[in-house]
Amino acid sequence: MSDHHEAPTTRLPRVDPTPPADEQTGPVGPPVPHGGSGPTLMEQMGGLSGIVASSVPVAVFVLVNLIAGLQPGLYAALGVGVAVMVWRLARRDPLQPAVSGLLGVGVCALVARQTGEARGFYLPGLLISSFFALTAIVSMIVRWPIAGVIWNGINSRGMQWRQNPALLRAYTIATGLLAIVFVSRVVVQGLLYDANAETWLGIARLAMGYPLLGLALLATVLIVRRAERSARVRGPAPLTGGPAQP
């Protein structure tokens, strides 16, 4: 009789081939499980080629403006932006980085054309950095750190992370790093803008663009994942109505 009773129980673990539900219902907002099929943040940005492609028109403007002047620089930047979009379309790569880059270059070129100054090309980016710097600072003050909002919004994890002090602190630190990046852009590029140092302004725009932001994002990922691992090790209480633990 004991053999008959044991047979069904040995099969119970085999009846659960689906992904564990507790990985999706934790109240602390765990990161996307390894091996998930959802696109990563890097993939959404078009990968390394997408990041480089969106920076090429700015680099072309800096170089051509230095050699031939404002108007040729604007035309060259717009032409390269279109060429990058066509190239990515031919390769069937994600168009979002190229389209965003082309729209950004178009706005910058319009401002530079209206002002008649090469430094006007960098004014929209300077204003955008100011907006993000202010947003990051305010989000920390009201205890809704923007890094946590964006991270959990992308991963569709909800906002339960705000109930965990460790995660709230980690996202606040990460948001502080982003604030430092944007504030440094405003200060450095703002001083160069006021000095009408258009060439150095373009160099600063490139150097303080994706490279600096990439370092801040890498630090953000490391800080957040460490906090999330720590929260899971401590064993947070399951959500109401969640799967029963054996």
Side-chain angles (χ1 to χ4, degrees):
M1 293 297 293
S2 59
D3 292 339
H4 293 290
H5 286 297
E6 291 177 357
T9 59
T10 58
R11 297 177 183 175
L12 286 178
R14 302 175 180 268
V15 184
D16 190 23
T18 56
D22 58 351
E23 292 184 2
Q24 304 175 5
T25 58
V28 298
V32 177
H34 295 293
S37 58
T40 64
L41 180 59
M42 177 65 79
E43 291 171 345
Q44 292 176 5
M45 296 172 66
L48 182 60
S49 63
I51 293 176
V52 173
S54 62
S55 302
V56 169
V58 177
V60 169
F61 173 79
V62 173
L63 181 61
V64 177
N65 176 68
L66 180 63
I67 297 175
L70 176 60
Q71 292 296 333
L74 295 177
Y75 292 137
L78 290 172
V80 169
V82 173
V84 167
M85 188 173 63
V86 172
W87 176 67
R88 292 186 68 85
L89 181 62
R91 289 169 48 90
R92 296 184 179 179
D93 290 337
L95 289 179
Q96 179 180 352
V99 173
S100 300
L102 182 59
L103 291 176
V105 170
V107 172
C108 293
L110 179 61
V111 173
R113 184 179 180 86
Q114 292 297 320
T115 60
E117 297 178 327
R119 67 175 182 170
F121 186 86
Y122 308 106
L123 182 58
L126 189 58
L127 295 177
I128 291 175
S129 293
S130 301
F131 170 77
F132 283 130
L134 182 61
T135 300
I137 293 172
V138 171
S139 72
M140 288 188 293
I141 294 175
V142 300
R143 298 177 64 82
W144 276 87
I146 194 65
V149 175
I150 294 176
W151 178 282
N152 290 276
I154 290 176
N155 295 326
S156 301
R157 297 294 174 181
M159 295 298 149
Q160 297 93 338
W161 55 271
R162 295 188 68 249
Q163 309 303 321
N164 186 293
L167 286 179
L168 182 60
R169 181 169 56 253
Y171 286 123
T172 300
I173 295 174
T175 302
L177 293 176
L178 295 176
I180 291 174
V181 169
F182 292 117
V183 169
S184 64
R185 286 182 183 178
V186 173
V187 173
V188 174
Q189 296 179 30
L191 291 174
L192 293 173
Y193 183 89
D194 289 337
N196 201 20
E198 56 189 45
T199 300
W200 284 107
L201 181 56
I203 295 174
R205 165 74 177 271
L206 292 172
M208 303 181 75
Y210 283 117
L212 189 58
L213 182 60
L215 291 177
L217 291 177
L218 176 60
T220 296
V221 171
L222 295 177
I223 292 171
V224 170
R225 285 185 174 175
R226 180 178 180 181
E228 288 175 336
R229 284 196 300 268
S230 177
R232 288 198 300 272
V233 168
R234 292 173 185 173
L239 287 177
T240 303
Q245 298 296 327

